[in-house]
Amino acid sequence: MQLVRFAPGAVFPDHFHTGPEFVYVLDGEVVQNGRRLRSGYAGVAESGTVDAGFSSATGCTFVLVYALDQVFDSVEPVVPPAVKDASR
């Protein structure tokens, strides 16, 4: 489990999930695969999926939960679709 604090403008490289990953946004907002995720958002990235364009223009804090043996393999950058709001 990790508590992650993204500064405004932070970007995480596009990557492939070798196992499931749970994310919970505590504050701020982050864009993941073209979706804007706001405070209170919870989701799971399934094994075999790619996260593209994971970034935060405003800065944010989120919790990540994943198996310790999971590998986050970088992939060639993917152009995500237009940003959509993932509000509840």
Side-chain angles (χ1 to χ4, degrees), residues 19-69:
E21 174 188 86
F22 171 81
V23 61
Y24 180 74
V25 181
L26 296 169
D27 65 50
E29 61 184 42
V30 64
V31 173
Q32 177 187 37
N33 297 325
R35 295 180 66 202
R36 187 176 319 278
L37 314 177
R38 296 197 168 131
S39 179
Y41 173 85
V44 175
E46 295 181 28
S47 180
T49 59
V50 172
D51 270 349
F54 197 88
S55 62
S56 179
T58 61
C60 64
T61 305
F62 55 95
V63 173
L64 283 179
V65 180
Y66 54 88
L68 291 177
D69 61 351

